[in-house]
Amino acid sequence: ALLAREDARFYEHGGVDYWGVARAIIRDLKDQKAVQGASTITMQLARNSFNDLNKKTAHRKLVEVMLAKRIEAAYSKEKILELYVNRIFFGTGMYGIERASKAYFNRHAADLTPGEAATLAGIIRSPNKFSPFRNWNGALAERNVVLDRMVLKKFITKEEAESAKKEDMAVAAQPAVRPMDNY
């Protein structure tokens, strides 16, 4: 679900998806504003690892590209994914997939259903806006977008996506935010 949403060509590039960059530039020029991002999971990991990479500038993007190349040279794809899912923000003060899985669905990340996994992947683009605690309908809409992308990228079948959209999901009670619970 995460790869379908954030970086479907993760295993095909070396940290920078040049096709994604070209697509984003064309879209942004067409719309005459920054509409589409082009950051890979590795680039997002680089940005989320350094506090001084928060401002949206061309310089930041160049630093992200350089760091992404170094990360890809130093770590396996599996290690990069591990670092990413344990560092990413999932809203409501939660960082890391395990913390988010337990908080939102009261289960370990390894035990998530396809619909729950797609819901968490959908949260990433706007964690506070699509938090199931704050916006259940928005979270479900994002889940459906992720499931549709999973079908488009041939990660699951259309039937599996439709079944996941019909899952009876229940969100756990919102826990108190305790930073020490994050990974």
Side-chain angles (χ1 to χ4, degrees):
L2 176 75
L3 293 178
R5 178 56 177 237
E6 295 295 316
D7 190 354
R9 289 189 290 270
F10 177 71
Y11 287 102
E12 299 166 20
H13 62 68
V16 180
D17 182 355
Y18 294 104
W19 288 111
V21 171
R23 180 199 70 242
I25 289 170
I26 291 168
R27 175 75 189 272
D28 291 351
L29 288 172
K30 181 181 155 212
D31 291 352
Q32 298 181 355
K33 63 181 177 180
V35 174
Q36 188 135 30
S39 291
T40 63
I41 283 177
T42 311
M43 291 169 71
Q44 291 177 50
L45 175 62
R47 180 176 56 244
N48 289 329
S49 298
F50 297 95
N51 290 334
D52 61 342
L53 294 180
N54 292 328
K55 300 178 192 114
K56 289 186 177 186
T57 65
H59 178 262
R60 180 198 84 180
K61 215 32 124 173
L62 289 173
V63 171
E64 277 181 31
V65 166
M66 291 185 300
L67 288 172
K69 291 289 194 183
R70 292 188 70 180
I71 290 169
E72 290 272 344
Y75 298 104
S76 69
K77 290 288 191 173
E78 287 72 24
K79 185 65 176 178
I80 293 167
L81 273 176
E82 177 189 341
L83 293 168
Y84 178 81
V85 299
N86 285 317
R87 180 160 290 152
I88 196 71
F89 181 60
F90 284 95
T92 320
M94 292 180 288
Y95 291 85
I97 190 78
E98 186 69 14
R99 174 71 176 121
S101 298
K102 286 181 178 179
Y104 287 126
F105 299 112
N106 200 27
R107 66 176 79 220
H108 293 284
D111 299 327
L112 290 172
T113 66
E116 292 166 343
T119 301
L120 290 182
I123 290 172
I124 293 170
R125 286 236 173 119
S126 188
N128 289 320
K129 180 178 179 184
F130 297 121
S131 165
F133 295 143
R134 297 179 180 173
N135 182 0
W136 179 245
N137 291 332
L140 291 180
E142 289 300 304
R143 173 204 64 189
N144 293 346
V145 168
V146 172
L147 290 167
D148 291 342
R149 281 201 50 80
M150 291 174 74
V151 171
L152 180 71
K153 298 299 178 183
K154 298 183 179 7
F155 293 162
I156 62 173
T157 66
K158 187 165 181 60
E159 293 76 24
E160 289 170 321
E162 291 306 316
S163 177
K165 289 177 184 179
K166 295 175 185 171
E167 276 180 23
D168 186 26
M169 291 192 314
V171 174
Q174 184 171 348
V177 177
R178 296 177 350 150
M180 69 283 273
D181 291 337
N182 292 319
Y183 177 75

